[in-house]
RNA sequence: GCCGAAGUGGCGGAAUUGGCAGACGCGACGGUCUCAAAAACCGUUGAGCAUUAGGCUCAUGUGGGUUCGAGUCCCACCUUCGGCACCA
């Protein structure tokens, strides 16, 4: 008789033992293949929620599996500890962000330990500690030295609720990514990182990465590389006055029937004629007031006003009216466009609204090749119903000397002509913008810059780092950094001339912290309290040499165009600094899906469908919660939490418990037959093949299903003569080893109770024998005219001829064939026979 | 609007990539145990028809197509989710 499965006791026991024996200690072993396995670090919001469990426990199973396969796995963890919630808590509850954050970390650390993951706590990093963020400042200075950090006065996205500017990546659908408030534009001087310098490399690097296509596509779209031509348009009647337009379609230049400037375009004031001034100014004013979200929602209806001025189309010398319209934006291209209504949907809508002509200048190749002008003007007339935007297989018409040119020749020749005659140049345009780093908040890394009345912007000398975030500050959300009102922080003497100067009071975007944390983990708080120099390396280089880069990264897809883009950028800069010798920070990426509430909706307090994992860990134990989360469905798809579903998984663990420890109900006497032994071993090795393959591909749901099926098989076999044989022991051992990565506690406990050496997590992954896994006989479906009419049992090696003979000999098959002549027999060895008789 | 992913029992989801649809689990129903209930265990469970035996028919969002054979491939459409969006 044995005691019942009691997860509370055994989980606590083993977690302590693992910690005591340093089971997950990092060791740089040159004889083993290193495997840096990383899961996105959590924000210390207060409690570990189900989403954290869903992200981290399958990740842990993946890491443990890699380890059993003989890799030297390192699985570090830390906390992304700067950020707005801490500051908001300070404002609401009058508790200091530091205290709030550290208390949360304390609690979450405990919860994380209950998960039983193989985290290496010795290298934990907390980003809000000076020993960490001093390196943010050090990097900032480095970026500044390299010309990658600069100050720029421009309209920037601003969240009026969070009271801070945002990077473009943090604006989702015109709203703040954090709080959902529609953002507004503000003209501010802000620090930016020149990520656009790496646009091409960020794009090309994607091809080499073993990342989900989804993420790669999102990054490609975000970077938005477009090849085109920029050229000059003269304003009629203003000698020498011109503006530049960018187009990806120079081949349509003869179709230009108007030009548009963005309302904010600097030339608007100059060219507007007196009789249109009032109207234009009113329009500009209105455009300024609109938030980007409003502009977006009104996107359907084209608006604009005529400036009274005309520009000359350089291609044909014709004047075209210049409008201003808010569908042209100042920060895209040159802030001015040529309007080609026949071949651009938006221009088409605009022209229709303002009654502008719509000349056709490209037609499909087939229309052109028919050779007669009538056909392609017919085609053109049809195109007039709707703008024709294709470029592959089109030919230029009504385009003077260029008429008859086909894409891509049309592009090239017009581009050359514009280069020669309209100050044109081929240009690549990107959607990507430089990364806006400044935040007007307290709880972040101070930007290490000084504003001197004599010297202008002066960097803090490296040896003066870190610029400490003062502990006392007023947390009043004013839209300006709280540091601005902290006299002790603000005032400083200029390191260059000694004059009274003041510090930069903005802090850094917290995505700065996570852009390099995979390097910080190597040696957290490296040189904390020491004097820094420009020649430093922010981590122990020897350790980095061994572990970098990250081999496997897991985390949510919501970071596709934020963190995952920034950290790639950072790594490329680090490489240019000579700190690393690779181009990409994370070689493989897996995005888990989202865990939903029992109602299938996103968990949220307002919906009242939040599942607290602690309750379930309390009731069923961590192993059950882990296994259930893996069992729900494909890890990358997520799915709803099911309170009944977790019961089923828990029952499975109980079944394993009694399978391994309890005596059979009826002791079968005598020796097992050879066949019984073979069947058992076959089940063992077939399951092992399946489970190994599933772990490798993070298909945890079918992995657990296979373990359940195997357990069911073993439960039946237990009551037969095979119980207690070598084959039986092999089966039980293999079962526990296969469970170990996913359910680390129960497998360790049962392993110990079988008298095996500590620890199961130090064992090698068992080797599957494909010979033993082979089926002895297979059931073949026999179809007559595509419908299964009989089944025959044969050896898997049975030849095609034999299968055909056996199938035709079958009585039931004969009945269905009747007297119809057999026309064809399809034989798929090992699968089926299909007899066509008609 | 453009791009991408998905749509399978009452539910979560399987299906070696063109070869027996529904693995595994939940739920439901029936049974064993029990004075009873819970737990546990053992059956049954896509729908319909037929149940005297063998069975038969229909089923993977909809409609077509290719094929001996389609959840899987092709075309059109519907729905859901995600990304991008006056990006010139």
């Amino acid at each position: 008789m044995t005691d019942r499965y009691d997860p509370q006791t055994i989980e606590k026991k083993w977690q302590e033992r693992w910690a005591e024996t340093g089971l997950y200690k990092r060791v740089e072993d040159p004889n083993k293949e290193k495997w840096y396995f990383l899961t996105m670090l959590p924000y210390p919001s207060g409690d570990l929620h189900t989403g954290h469990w869903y992200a981290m426990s399958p990740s842990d199973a993946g890491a443990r599996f890699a380890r059993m396969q003989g890799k030297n796995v390192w699985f570090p963890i830390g906390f992304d500890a700067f950020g707005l919630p801490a500051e908001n808590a300070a404002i609401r509850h009058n508790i200091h962000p530091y205290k709030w954050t550290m208390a949360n970390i304390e609690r979450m650390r405990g919860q994380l330990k209950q998960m039983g993951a193989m985290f290496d706590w010795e290298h934990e990093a907390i980003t809000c500690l000076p020993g960490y963020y001093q390196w943010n400042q050090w990097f900032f200075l480095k970026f500044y030295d390299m010309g990658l950090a600069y100050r720029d006065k421009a309209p920037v996205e601003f969240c009026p609720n969070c009271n801070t500017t945002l990077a473009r990546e943090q604006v989702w659908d015109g709203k703040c990514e954090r709080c959902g408030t529609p953002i507004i534009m503000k003209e501010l001087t802000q620090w930016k990182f020149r990520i656009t310098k790496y646009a091409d490399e960020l794009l090309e690097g994607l091809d080499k990465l073993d990342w989900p296509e989804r993420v790669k596509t999102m990054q490609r779209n975000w970077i938005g590389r477009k090849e085109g031509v920029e050229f000059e348009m003269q304003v009629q009647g203003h000698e020498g006055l011109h503006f530049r337009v960018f187009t990806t379609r120079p081949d349509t230049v003869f179709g230009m029937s108007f030009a548009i400037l963005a309302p904010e375009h600097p030339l608007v004031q100059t060219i507007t004629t007196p009789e249109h001034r009032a109207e234009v100014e009113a329009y500009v004013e209105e455009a300024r007031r609109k938030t980007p979200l409003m502009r977006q929602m009104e996107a359907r209806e084209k608006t604009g006003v005529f400036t009274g001025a005309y520009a000359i189309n350089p291609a044909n010398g014709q004047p075209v009216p210049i409008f201003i319209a808010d569908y042209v934006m100042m920060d895209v291209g040159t802030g001015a466009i040529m309007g080609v209504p026949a071949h651009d949907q938006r221009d088409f809508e605009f022209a229709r609204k303002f009654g502008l002509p719509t000349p056709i200048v490209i037609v499909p190749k087939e229309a052109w090749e028919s050779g007669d002008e009538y056909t392609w003007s017919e085609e053109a007339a049809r195109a007039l119903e709707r703008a024709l935007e294709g470029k592959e297989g089109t030919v230029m018409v009504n385009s003077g000397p260029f008429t008859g040119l086909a894409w891509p020749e049309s592009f090239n020749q017009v581009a050359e002509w514009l280069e020669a005659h309209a100050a044109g140049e081929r240009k690549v345009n990107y959607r990507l913008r430089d990364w806006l780093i400044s935040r007007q908040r307290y709880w972040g890394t101070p930007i290490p810059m000084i504003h001197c009345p004599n010297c202008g912007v002066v960097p803090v000398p490296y040896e003066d780092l870190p610029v400490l975030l003062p502990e006392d500050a007023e947390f009043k959300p004013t839209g300006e950094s709280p540091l601005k009102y902290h006299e002790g922080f603000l005032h400083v003497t200029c390191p260059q001339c000694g004059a009274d100067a003041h510090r930069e009071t903005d802090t850094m975007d917290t995505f700065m912290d996570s852009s390099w944390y995979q390097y910080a983990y190597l040696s957290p708080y490296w040189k904390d309290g020491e004097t820094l120099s420009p020649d430093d390396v922010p981590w122990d280089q020897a350790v980095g040499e061994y572990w970098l880069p990250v081999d496997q990264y897991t985390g949510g897809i919501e970071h596709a165009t934020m963190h995952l883009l920034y950290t790639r950028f950072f790594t490329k800069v680090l490489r240019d600094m000579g700190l690393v010798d690779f181009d990409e920070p994370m070689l493989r990426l897996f995005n888990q899906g989202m865990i939903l509430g029992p109602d299938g909706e996103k968990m949220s307090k307002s919906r009242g469908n939040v599942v607290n994992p602690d309750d379930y860990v309390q009731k069923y134990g961590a192993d059950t919660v882990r296994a259930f989360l893996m069992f729900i469905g494909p890890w990358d798809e997520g799915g709803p939490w099911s309170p009944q579903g977790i019961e089923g998984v828990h029952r499975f663990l109980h079944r394993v418990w009694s399978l391994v420890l309890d005596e059979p109900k009826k002791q079968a006497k005598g020796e097992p037959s050879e066949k019984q032994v073979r069947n058992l071993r076959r089940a063992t090795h077939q399951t092992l093949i399946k489970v190994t393959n599933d772990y490798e591909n993070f298909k945890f749901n079918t992995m657990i299903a296979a373990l359940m099926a195997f357990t069911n098989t073993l439960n039946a076999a237990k009551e037969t003569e095979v119980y207690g044989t070598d084959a039986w022991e092999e089966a039980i051992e293999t079962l526990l080893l296969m469970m170990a990565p996913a359910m680390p506690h129960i497998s360790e406990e049962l392993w110990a109770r079988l008298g095996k050496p500590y620890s199961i997590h130090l064992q090698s992954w068992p080797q599957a024998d494909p010979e033993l896994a082979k089926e002895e006989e297979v059931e073949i479906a026999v179809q007559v005219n595509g419908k299964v009419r009989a089944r025959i049992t044969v050896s898997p090696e049975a030849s095609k001829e034999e299968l055909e003979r056996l199938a035709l000999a079958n009585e039931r098959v004969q009945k269905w064939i009747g007297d119809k002549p057999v026309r064809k027999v399809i034989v798929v060895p090992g699968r089926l026979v299909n007899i066509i008789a008609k």
Side-chain angles (χ1 to χ4, degrees), chain A residues 39 47 87 149 190 253 298 300 316 333 384 387 450 537 541 593 691 720 729 738 790 817 821:
Chain A
T39 181
D47 275 299
E87 203 169 335
Q190 300 274 285
V253 69
E298 293 165 3
R300 265 147 289 254
N316 56 16
L384 257 185
I450 291 168
V537 177
Q541 224 173 351
V691 166
T720 71
E729 306 220 321
M738 289 189 292
I817 295 173

Side-chain angles (χ1 to χ4, degrees), chain A residues 133 137 441-442 444-450 460 466-473 481-493 501-507:
Chain A
Y133 73 69
Q137 296 174 335
R441 297 297 300 224
Y442 165 76
T445 308
I447 293 175
M449 287 288 163
I450 291 168
V460 172
V467 177
L468 289 173
L469 187 64
E471 284 180 24
D472 50 333
S481 172
L483 292 178
K484 204 164 188 170
Y485 303 99
H486 191 286
E487 295 293 319
F489 178 83
L490 186 65
H491 297 289
V492 65
T493 54
H502 61 90
R503 290 190 187 278
E504 169 71 56
T505 55
D506 282 353
T507 52

Side-chain angles (χ1 to χ4, degrees), chain A residues 341-510:
Chain A
H343 307 297
D344 182 281
Q345 188 62 37
R346 297 149 307 180
D347 296 348
F348 178 74
E349 287 163 19
F350 190 82
R352 185 141 61 170
K353 179 133 185 202
F354 288 86
L356 297 159
T358 304
I360 306 293
V361 292
I362 59 168
V363 292
K365 205 171 181 179
E366 308 79 62
W368 169 256
E369 277 170 356
S370 72
D372 96 63
E373 188 155 331
Y374 177 77
T375 309
W376 59 258
S377 54
E378 269 296 285
E379 186 67 40
R382 254 176 276 137
L384 257 185
E385 315 266 316
R386 201 188 159 83
L388 167 67
E389 302 198 56
K391 51 191 184 184
E392 304 301 328
T394 61
V395 176
M396 291 175 73
V397 298
N398 290 329
S399 297
F402 298 98
T403 297
L405 281 179
W407 184 272
E409 259 312 285
S410 51
F411 178 102
N412 290 327
Q413 297 227 4
V414 177
E416 263 169 47
W417 190 91
L418 287 168
E419 278 169 347
H421 298 95
E425 55 174 330
R426 284 167 189 253
K427 232 179 146 173
V428 180
N429 237 296
Y430 300 92
R431 221 183 69 87
L432 185 70
R433 296 282 169 272
D434 277 339
W435 176 11
L436 193 149
I437 282 288
S438 305
R439 295 292 179 275
Q440 291 72 49
R441 297 297 300 224
Y442 165 76
W443 194 232
T445 308
I447 293 175
M449 287 288 163
I450 291 168
H451 301 280
C452 170
N454 306 322
C455 313
V457 174
V458 181
V460 172
Y462 285 88
E463 57 269 24
D464 290 351
L465 296 182
V467 177
L468 289 173
L469 187 64
E471 284 180 24
D472 50 333
E474 279 293 309
F475 305 109
K476 296 239 162 65
T478 58
E480 288 184 303
S481 172
L483 292 178
K484 204 164 188 170
Y485 303 99
H486 191 286
E487 295 293 319
F489 178 83
L490 186 65
H491 297 289
V492 65
T493 54
C494 171
Q496 277 179 18
C497 71
D500 286 344
H502 61 90
R503 290 190 187 278
E504 169 71 56
T505 55
D506 282 353
T507 52
M508 295 182 202
D509 181 3
T510 55

